Every structure is written in C-alpha cells, then in structure tokens.
C-alpha cells in the first residue's frame, strides 16, 4: 500500500512530490498540440479568476448611504498622488460634469465622493495616463445640496446639507434654534420621489428623542417655523395683553398668565371671542377648564357689586 508523507510517495528514489511527478510525467507524454491547448486553458482560467477577484473587490467596498453626493454648483479639489499636474479645483456644472485634464468632461453629479474618485482613477488608468492613480476629492464649497429654513428662527437662510442623512434637528441647530416667539411646529415641504411632500413636525417630540419625528432633510426642502400661537386677554385683569398660548392651555391658566382678576373683576360672564373657519367671530362662554385656541380673545367683565 502506498503511503504519502507531505505529498511524497514512500519509496520514491527521486524524492519528488507524488502529484508533481505525476503531472510532469503526464505533460512529458503530451503532444505539442495538446500541450498548447493545456497552456491556453490555464491562461484563460487565470484571466477569469483575475476578473472575478476584481469584481469581488469592487463589491466588497460598498458606498455608505450617508456619504455626501455631489451636486451642481459644488466646488471640489481633486488631488492625484505624485501627479501635481493633474490636481486642480473645479466646479460641478448644472449638467453635473467637470472638465478634467486628459479626460475632458467627466460626469460627477449625483455620485458620492468614493464613486467620483473611482471614476477619475479609472479614466486615468484605462487611458494609460497613470498606472496606479490614487485620487482624492475634497468638497470645498457645498452648493448643490441645500435646504432653506424660514420664519421664527434665530438665523433663517439657506444651509448646505454636508451629510446625506441630515435631520430636521440638524437644520434647526444650524439656524440657531427656534426664536422665543416661534411655534413648536415645523412645517417641512419639498419633493419625495417626484411628488409634492408636506409634513408638520412636533418639535418638542423631536427634542425628546422620538426618531420617527426627526425626519430627513433633502436638497431643496423648505422648513417654516410660524409665529407662536397667541391668546389675548382684556377687561378686568391685572395685566391685559397678548400672551403665548401654551399647549393645552386652559382658560384658568390664561387668566393666571394675565396676573389674575382685578378687585372689580368677576368670573361670571367670561366671554371668549373665537374666529371660525368661515371667518366669522363667535362669542362663547367656556368653563375655567376649557382649552383655548390660537387667536382667542378673552374678556373679563366688571362685577356689578
């Protein structure tokens, strides 16, 4: 019985590996035509394996969904390692292309930085300009992906979305937060999948950590913060005037905000003037625990005795 030791056959005086000796013997016995066919098969198999490895390497480096994607108007700085003549600053055109030496017009709009770097590197390598190009891209100015925030915020304006996963809370932070006279509701409008999009967001829920309310902001979105809801009190109260209508504020709480009733004021016959959806003003006589609405006008009568 043959015994194998480290790929050698026991008793083999040549000391050659068993499989190696078999292969050599088989090759020596082949004709020239068969030998050429064998070499061709081995070469084709090597090329196929190289192509498979290249595809696998590309698939093994997925692009993060949170990576910024280039847009029209963005200014980028492109650097090619050890090739300073190929390094330059360029601005992405409205059609999403830049003009690059040796390559001409290169489409970069909509690509992540990783994809854009690969596209330029592939062009330099396939054109035999640089054997192993190492390309890096830095966004100097973000112009393509911007969103606006308007209304009652401390710093309204247009802000760049430097990250693909920018949230409403991030945009509010860039705008310095909601102003003291701002509402607790943010209205986000824009487009999603080619259709008009509008959503009212309860900002206190966002600040409380409710992730579902902290929606993502996309390029072209507009966030509007309305003025805070107001309630107006006049008549026999200590401090008549306009007051912020807090959430679920009752008539009693509103009177307390106004400093309470004067000595001549009375709780009897309290009247609330409320404008309806049709624009008409209706006079109501609510209870002390009834909630008020934005724009309500509270009147406190003078006591007859």
């Amino acid at each position: 019985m043959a015994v194998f030791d480290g790929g050698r056959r026991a008793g083999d005086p040549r000391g050659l590996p068993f499989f190696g000796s078999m292969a050599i013997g088989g090759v020596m016995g082949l004709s020239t035509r068969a030998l050429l066919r064998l070499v061709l098969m081995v070469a084709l198999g090597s090329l196929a394996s190289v192509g498979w490895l290249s595809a696998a390497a590309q698939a093994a480096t997925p692009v993060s969904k949170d990576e910024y994607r280039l847009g029209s108007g963005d200014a980028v700085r492109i650097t090619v390692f050890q090739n300073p003549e190929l390094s330059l600053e360029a601005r992405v055109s409205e059609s999403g292309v830049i003009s690059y030496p040796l390559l001409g017009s290169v489409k970069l709009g909509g690509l992540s930085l990783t994809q854009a770097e690969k596209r330029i590197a592939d062009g330099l390598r396939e054109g035999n300009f640089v054997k192993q190009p190492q390309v890096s891209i830095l966004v100097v100015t973000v112009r393509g992906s911007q969103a606006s925030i308007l209304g009652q915020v401390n710093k309204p304006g247009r802000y760049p979305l430097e990250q693909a996963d920018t949230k409403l809370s991030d945009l509010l932070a860039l705008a310095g937060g909601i102003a003291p006279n701002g509402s607790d509701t943010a209205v986000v409008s824009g487009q999603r999948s080619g259709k008009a999009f509008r959503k009212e967001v309860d900002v206190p829920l966002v600040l409380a950590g409710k992730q579902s309310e902290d929606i993502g902001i996309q390029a072209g979105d507009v966030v509007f913060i309305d003025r805070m809801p107001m309630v107006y009190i006049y008549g026999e109260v200590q401090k008549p005037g306009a007051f912020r209508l807090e959430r679920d504020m009752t008539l009693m709480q509103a009177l307390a905000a106004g400093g309470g009733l004067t000595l001549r004021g009375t709780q009897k016959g309290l009247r609330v003037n409320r404008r309806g959806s049709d624009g008409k003003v209706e006079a109501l006589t609510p209870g002390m625990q009834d909630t008020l609405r934005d724009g309500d006008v509270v009147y406190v009568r003078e006591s007859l005795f």
Side-chain angles (χ1 to χ4, degrees):
M1 181 176 66
V3 179
F4 297 91
D5 182 13
R8 302 176 187 276
R9 183 170 58 181
D12 189 344
R14 294 170 298 175
L16 292 174
F18 176 60
F19 295 107
S21 61
M22 288 182 63
I24 293 174
V27 170
M28 294 294 293
L30 291 175
S31 65
T32 304
R33 185 174 183 179
L35 182 59
L36 290 175
R37 183 180 299 175
L38 178 61
V39 172
L40 180 60
M41 290 175 62
V42 172
L44 290 176
S46 300
L47 290 175
S49 64
V50 169
W52 180 85
L53 289 173
S54 177
Q58 293 179 6
T61 55
V63 177
S64 172
K65 66 178 182 180
D66 297 337
E67 192 172 353
Y68 177 76
R69 294 185 178 273
L70 296 171
S72 60
D74 287 348
V76 295
R77 180 181 296 122
I78 304 173
T79 304
V80 182
F81 181 64
Q82 291 186 342
N83 290 272
E85 68 279 3
L86 296 177
S87 302
L88 80 161
E89 289 193 8
R91 187 176 298 276
V92 181
S93 68
E94 291 295 327
S95 57
V97 302
I98 66 166
S99 180
Y100 192 78
L102 303 178
L103 302 182
S105 296
V106 181
K107 177 76 171 180
L108 297 184
L111 300 181
S112 67
L113 295 182
T114 302
Q115 293 171 331
E117 291 169 351
K118 184 178 183 303
R119 176 162 295 185
I120 293 178
D122 289 346
L124 293 175
R125 181 171 51 253
E126 293 170 1
N128 293 323
F129 302 119
V130 182
K131 288 186 176 180
Q132 294 295 331
Q134 298 181 27
V135 180
S136 63
I137 298 179
L138 174 67
V139 180
V140 179
T141 306
V142 177
R143 291 285 177 85
S145 296
Q146 293 188 340
S148 301
I149 182 166
L150 308 173
Q152 303 302 320
V153 290
N154 290 311
K155 294 187 294 182
R158 289 175 59 86
Y159 291 92
L161 305 179
E162 297 181 353
Q163 295 181 340
D165 63 337
T166 301
K167 302 293 185 180
L168 174 60
S169 57
D170 299 325
L171 191 59
L172 287 173
L174 290 173
I178 299 177
N181 59 341
S183 171
D184 289 338
T185 302
V187 180
V188 182
S189 58
Q191 286 193 344
R192 299 292 186 274
S193 302
K195 298 181 180 180
F197 171 83
R198 186 181 186 276
K199 181 177 176 62
E200 294 186 2
V201 179
D202 194 344
V203 177
L205 291 180
V206 174
L207 300 180
K210 190 173 181 180
Q211 297 296 327
S212 60
E213 290 294 310
D214 196 9
I215 65 175
I217 301 298
Q218 297 185 8
D221 281 356
V222 177
V223 179
F224 178 70
I225 306 294
D226 201 354
R227 66 166 182 81
M228 63 182 177
M230 303 290 293
V231 63
Y232 307 89
I233 307 175
Y234 75 105
E236 295 300 327
V237 288
Q238 299 288 345
K239 297 186 296 181
F243 299 90
R244 182 188 182 98
L245 179 64
E246 302 294 343
R247 187 165 303 188
D248 299 326
M249 186 181 228
T250 64
L251 177 58
M252 180 181 291
Q253 291 172 331
L255 292 175
L261 306 182
T262 64
L263 294 177
R264 293 182 297 176
T266 178
Q267 295 183 13
K268 296 180 180 180
L270 288 173
R271 186 172 73 245
V272 174
N273 298 310
R274 177 173 297 166
R275 188 180 299 276
S277 57
D278 57 357
K280 296 181 180 180
V281 177
E282 182 181 4
L284 307 174
T285 56
M288 296 295 287
Q289 297 302 322
D290 289 346
T291 57
L292 299 177
R293 297 181 185 177
D294 183 23
D296 281 354
V297 179
V298 180
Y299 172 66
V300 180
R301 291 177 52 192
E302 180 180 1
S303 175
L304 298 177
F305 301 100

